[in-house]
């Protein structure tokens, strides 16, 4: 290598270490400020109940969180183990580049591992992904090393690669069911790459593979005693197993996430590596493992679940292709190369900026008006303060209830434990595969509902259900908890997240008190309006009924709406509604907005019930012209 090339590599190495340090510092800073993601909160709850496996996942994620919670029972402590794994992964990529025969590109491979947008955030959240990626990276490096050493090498020289392979197999099995896809991709690479085929004749591979399979035993034993809840959820219940046309857009989705040019060059690198499999078995193994995994996930995804987040699934396949991407970048022209690196940098900046916004209350409030992402990072401290204030006025034996598992997990983490806690049977619990785990902990409805508690305080996440389901859900809660009375409300993110507090006092009136509900037909969210416009919709309060409705703009009352307009459609939609005003529950108003209220403003309704209760509901953000 020439002196000029050496100097270039030294500059790239310095750039790698500088960016690695910068991103690590940002992750540590963000991890302490960013509220827990919903699934993180549930994994943290699992860490309070140590087990080898749970109904949703094997036990490693919860165990790693438990280790971090010894340091600090806050978001940083919960995430610290994932932060370490995320920091180590780019260093493992350097080793993979060396083992694949691409040592001359090792620093470029490391930079790609830092700049691929999703990898730039790897480790920020205490999710299974950091451990799953590290397990795959261990297996990749070990197979590359063993392939290069050959099957005839003495066992002492190959001891560490075999140990690393076993470590990767065990870590993956203890982390997630999706590691089965990694195993399938690795098996395909062993079958297709001639140099790797020799390993299939080595008894040590089968011995290590058998030991790696033993790591699945905790999960198998758990499912055997848990009615196969995990396997049924992961492979049966969550998937429609019918063709999903929207899945055809996954390659375009991945092109946006990984940045278009990097994604395209990754795919173009696959045939190049395959054609040279005889001369360069290392890149060929990466191509078959990574490409096979991407193809397999795409084909399965055509028939699998599209409701839940899955855009991160292909990341483990892209990880294997980064060394090939680095080589491909050296083969293209300088303009295309600069654009590819530039887009990767922009993607990383955008991902980091998004996380910075989510870490700030003002940022979450702003994002909440445009995306549901902010709701997954809800800070429930205002809610816990309201709960604690309400509990002080209730008997000490009061049981705190949450109406769904995600809300329960957030409350358990914020309040520091789940003693005297319970969770309602909610559609969300089964949808996300957590109903069985709540049952095993004795937190589900069947475990506490028959107990003679002095009173109960129920927290309902109203916005967790669509509008059509909210009235039936309140009625169902009343049937299951007679005497339930709405007593308070907490709104966060400008009202996009709303929590209702209900009390059930033992021996009290069996009648229920409900929170009002409302909907606007006009104006719609984002509408552009003049100072004068017409408002129409409906509003109800089961049980007591509504007395009057006030219209507010930017928190200022601008009109009193007529609230006795004939609107039979509400009763048709909800035959069980008990508002005594049916069918005259429609609302309408002619608004004249004051001149000083211009631009984007929050339009809301203040609902006055005949029982004296008042509720303010945010309805839409509208633009008022001068």
């Amino acid at each position: 290598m020439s002196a000029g090339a050496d100097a270039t590599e030294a500059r790239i190495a310095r750039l790698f270490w500088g960016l690695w340090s910068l991103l690590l510092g940002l992750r540590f800073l963000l991890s302490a400020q960013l509220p827990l993601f919903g699934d993180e909160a549930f994994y943290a709850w699992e860490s309070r109940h140590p087990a080898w496996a749970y109904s949703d996942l094997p036990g490693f994620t919860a165990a790693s969180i438990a280790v971090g919670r010894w340091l600090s029972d806050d978001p940083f402590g919960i995430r610290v183990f994932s932060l370490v794994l995320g920091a180590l992964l780019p260093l493992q990529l350097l080793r993979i580049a060396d083992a694949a025969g691409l040592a001359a590109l090792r620093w470029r491979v490391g930079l790609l591992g830092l700049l691929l947008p999703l990898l730039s955030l790897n480790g920020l959240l205490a999710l299974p992904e950091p451990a799953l990626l590290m397990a795959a990276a261990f297996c990749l490096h070990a197979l590359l090393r063993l392939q290069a050493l050959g099957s005839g090498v003495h066992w002492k020289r190959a001891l560490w690669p075999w140990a690393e392979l076993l470590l990767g197999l065990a870590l993956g099995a203890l982390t997630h069911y999706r590691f089965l896809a990694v195993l399938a991709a690795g098996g395909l690479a062993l079958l297709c790459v001639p140099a790797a085929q020799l390993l299939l004749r080595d008894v040590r591979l089968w011995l290590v593979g058998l030991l790696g399979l033993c790591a699945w035993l905790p999960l198998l034993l758990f499912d055997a005693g848990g009615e196969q809840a995990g396997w049924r959820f992961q492979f049966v219940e969550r998937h429609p197993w019918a063709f999903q046309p929207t899945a055809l857009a996954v390659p375009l989705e991945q092109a946006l996430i990984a940045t278009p040019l990097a994604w395209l060059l990754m795919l173009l690198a696959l045939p190049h590596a395959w054609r040279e499999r005889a001369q360069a078995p290392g890149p060929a193994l990466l191509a078959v493992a990574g490409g096979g995994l991407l193809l397999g996930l795409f084909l399965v995804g055509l028939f699998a679940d599209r409701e839940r987040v899955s855009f991160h699934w292909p990341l483990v396949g892209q990880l294997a292709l980064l060394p090939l991407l680095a080589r491909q970048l050296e083969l293209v022209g300088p303009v295309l190369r600069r654009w590819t690196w530039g887009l990767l940098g922009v993607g990383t900046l955008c991902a980091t900026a998004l996380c910075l916004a989510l870490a700030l209350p003002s940022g979450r409030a702003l994002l909440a008006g445009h995306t549901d992402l902010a709701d997954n990072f809800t800070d429930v401290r205002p809610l816990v303060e309201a709960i604690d204030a309400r509990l002080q006025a209730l008997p000490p034996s009061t049981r705190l209830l949450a109406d769904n598992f995600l809300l329960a997990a957030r409350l358990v983490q914020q309040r520091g434990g789940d003693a005297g806690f319970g969770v309602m049977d909610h559609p969300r619990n089964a949808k996300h595969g957590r109903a069985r785990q709540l049952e095993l902990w004795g937190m589900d409805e069947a475990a506490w509902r028959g107990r003679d508690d002095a009173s109960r305080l129920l927290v309902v996440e109203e916005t967790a259900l669509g509008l059509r389901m909210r009235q039936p859900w309140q009625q169902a809660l009343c049937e299951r908890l007679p005497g339930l009375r709405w007593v308070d409300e907490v709104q966060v993110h400008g009202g996009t997240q709303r929590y209702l507090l209900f009390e059930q006092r033992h021996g009290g009136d069996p009648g229920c008190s409900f929170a009002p509900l409302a909907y606007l037909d006009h104006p719609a969210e984002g509408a552009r309006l003049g100072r004068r416009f017409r408002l129409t919709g409906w509003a109800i309060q089961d049980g007591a009924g509504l007395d009057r409705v006030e219209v507010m703009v930017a928190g200022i009352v601008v009109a009193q709406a007529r609230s006795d307009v004939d609107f039979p459609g509400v009763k048709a939609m909800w035959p069980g509604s008990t508002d005594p005003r049916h069918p005259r529950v429609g609302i309408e108003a002619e608004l004249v907005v004051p001149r000083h209220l211009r631009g984007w403003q929050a339009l809301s309704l203040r609902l006055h019930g005949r029982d004296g209760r008042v509720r303010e509901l945010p309805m839409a953000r509208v633009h008022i012209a001068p």
Side-chain angles (χ1 to χ4, degrees), residues 74-93:
D74 59 12
F76 176 77
I78 288 170
R79 293 165 172 155
V80 67
F81 202 94
S82 292
L83 286 167
V84 171
L85 289 176
L88 292 177
L89 185 65
L91 308 185
Q92 181 70 1
L93 279 171

Side-chain angles (χ1 to χ4, degrees), residues 17-31:
W17 286 116
L19 187 58
W20 181 85
S21 302
L22 176 62
L23 288 176
L24 182 59
L26 280 173
R27 288 178 197 153
F28 271 72
L29 176 65
L30 287 170
S31 68

Side-chain angles (χ1 to χ4, degrees), residues 57-265:
L57 287 177
F60 182 82
T61 302
S64 66
I65 291 174
V67 172
R69 286 181 52 242
W70 287 344
L71 299 176
S72 175
D73 194 13
D74 59 12
F76 176 77
I78 288 170
R79 293 165 172 155
V80 67
F81 202 94
S82 292
L83 286 167
V84 171
L85 289 176
L88 292 177
L89 185 65
L91 308 185
Q92 181 70 1
L93 279 171
L94 301 180
R95 302 178 71 224
I96 288 173
D98 293 342
L102 300 173
L105 301 172
R106 67 191 315 262
W107 298 113
R108 292 171 176 82
V109 174
L111 279 175
L112 289 172
L114 294 173
L115 288 176
L116 197 68
L118 282 186
L119 281 182
S120 70
L121 303 176
N122 180 46
L124 176 58
L125 303 182
L127 300 174
E129 217 64 28
L132 183 66
L133 291 170
M134 185 57 75
F138 281 146
C139 291
L140 268 178
H141 180 259
L143 287 179
L144 288 166
R145 288 282 296 127
L146 291 169
Q147 176 183 257
L149 288 171
S151 59
V153 69
H154 192 272
W155 69 270
K156 288 185 178 180
R157 286 192 59 200
L159 178 62
W160 289 114
W162 287 118
E164 185 180 25
L165 178 60
L166 179 57
L167 175 62
L169 293 174
L171 179 60
L174 293 171
T175 298
H176 205 287
Y177 292 85
R178 275 189 281 119
F179 189 68
L180 291 171
V182 176
L183 293 180
L188 181 66
L190 289 172
L191 288 171
C192 294
V193 180
Q197 289 174 3
L198 299 177
L199 291 174
L200 294 173
R201 305 173 190 173
D202 195 325
V203 68
R204 291 171 293 186
L205 177 68
W206 299 100
L207 177 61
V208 169
L210 182 61
L211 291 174
L213 287 176
C214 291
W216 292 93
L217 284 177
L219 194 59
L220 293 171
L221 292 173
F222 172 87
D223 274 328
E227 302 174 358
Q228 291 78 47
W231 291 95
R232 282 192 292 105
F233 171 70
Q234 294 287 352
F235 299 106
V236 180
E237 295 171 354
R238 70 175 294 179
H239 303 292
W241 296 124
F243 179 63
Q244 308 291 301
T246 56
L248 293 171
V250 166
L252 294 177
E253 175 188 84
Q254 289 301 308
L256 290 175
I257 293 171
T259 69
L261 292 178
W263 173 249
L264 177 62
L265 291 175

Side-chain angles (χ1 to χ4, degrees), residues 507-521:
D509 184 349
C512 294
S513 166
F514 300 96
L517 297 170
Y519 178 77
L520 291 185
D521 292 315

Side-chain angles (χ1 to χ4, degrees), residues 372-529:
D372 294 336
L373 182 61
D375 295 342
N376 286 314
F377 291 94
T378 300
D379 185 352
V380 296
R381 282 178 294 184
L383 175 60
V384 170
E385 290 172 3
I387 290 171
D388 290 340
R390 184 61 58 175
L391 286 173
Q392 289 178 5
L394 292 170
S397 59
T398 298
R399 181 177 292 275
L400 178 61
L401 306 175
D403 79 326
N404 69 83
F405 84 95
L406 273 179
L407 172 59
R410 288 190 171 106
L411 294 179
V412 166
Q413 174 58 29
Q414 190 64 44
R415 301 184 81 245
D418 57 14
F421 204 80
V423 186
M424 301 294 295
D425 291 341
H426 190 284
R428 180 183 264 187
N429 302 348
K431 179 181 178 180
H432 292 270
R434 268 59 181 241
R436 175 59 177 164
Q437 192 60 57
L438 296 173
E439 179 185 349
L440 292 173
W441 289 340
M443 297 288 174
D444 67 323
E445 192 170 332
W448 53 259
R449 192 169 158 195
R451 299 179 184 176
D452 188 21
D453 295 312
S455 61
R456 295 177 176 128
L457 179 62
L458 170 66
V459 187
V460 173
E461 186 178 356
E462 183 185 55
T463 43
L465 293 172
L467 177 64
R468 185 175 290 271
M469 293 296 298
R470 291 173 191 173
Q471 188 276 344
W473 182 238
Q474 287 198 46
Q475 291 286 357
L477 292 174
C478 179
E479 293 173 5
R480 288 143 68 177
L481 300 173
L484 204 61
R485 305 189 66 78
W486 172 55
V487 295
D488 201 358
E489 177 180 16
V490 176
Q491 298 187 5
V492 297
H493 298 165
T496 61
Q497 284 283 95
R498 298 191 294 274
Y499 301 96
L500 303 175
L501 274 63
F502 293 83
E503 288 181 8
Q504 183 198 35
R505 292 184 181 262
H506 182 64
D509 184 349
C512 294
S513 166
F514 300 96
L517 297 170
Y519 178 77
L520 291 185
D521 292 315
H522 180 79
E525 174 70 28
R528 292 182 175 271
L529 308 166

